Amino acid sequence: MGTWDIGPFDNDTAADFSYRVDEAPAEKKAEVLRTAFREVIETGDDYLDSDLAVEAIASAALVAAQCPGGEPVTTAYGPKQSLPELPAELRPPAVAALDRVLTPESELLELWEESDGEEWKAGVRKLRAVLAGA
């Protein structure tokens, strides 16, 4: 995975995921995000692959952008097309997926703890706070 910064879209996997979001019809975009959350949550206590975690974080950033206090996704690596209004029911699974990403059995967490882990975790927690508070 090529990573150049700590943001939700600052890696190759998230940039590729953005393309998948753009390619989905407007009425299916929410389902693409929901699937990313479900894939992470359904790992349970098993080891969480970093690519799944990255897609869940990118999805959470897109949902949080539509919440009060959320920051818009303005990076060139995010989706190019505007998202329709996303259902509020995506917020709880987004929170659950972010919580799962920050558990010990998470490859992405392990990778970040080898470098700028605290700053990265703070960004994930900020997304979580926006989603949980909405």
Side-chain angles (χ1 to χ4, degrees):
M1 172 178 75
T3 300
W4 49 88
D5 208 346
I6 64 168
F9 292 94
D10 294 340
N11 61 77
D12 291 334
T13 302
D16 291 344
F17 178 75
S18 294
Y19 179 75
R20 197 166 357 131
V21 172
D22 277 338
E23 290 299 305
E27 68 275 7
K28 298 287 187 182
K29 290 185 189 297
E31 188 56 34
V32 172
L33 307 182
R34 185 183 335 275
T35 298
F37 301 141
R38 185 175 51 247
E39 288 177 342
V40 166
I41 294 165
E42 288 179 354
T43 63
D45 293 333
D46 294 339
Y47 195 68
L48 175 59
D49 179 78
S50 66
D51 287 347
L52 293 178
V54 163
E55 291 180 1
I57 292 170
S59 296
L62 294 172
V63 175
Q66 294 186 4
C67 294
E71 295 181 15
V73 175
T74 58
T75 177
Y77 302 104
K80 308 292 185 245
Q81 301 174 11
S82 297
L83 292 175
E85 185 172 335
L86 298 169
E89 66 194 32
L90 287 176
R91 296 172 190 164
V95 169
L98 293 178
D99 287 344
R100 175 64 182 93
V101 168
L102 294 176
T103 64
E105 292 299 314
S106 169
E107 180 183 23
L108 188 60
L109 178 64
E110 286 179 11
L111 292 170
W112 276 110
E113 286 184 336
E114 294 173 3
S115 60
D116 295 327
E118 291 308 312
E119 190 175 354
W120 174 80
K121 284 191 277 188
V124 173
R125 288 184 187 122
K126 183 177 178 183
L127 276 178
R128 186 198 185 286
V130 168
L131 291 159

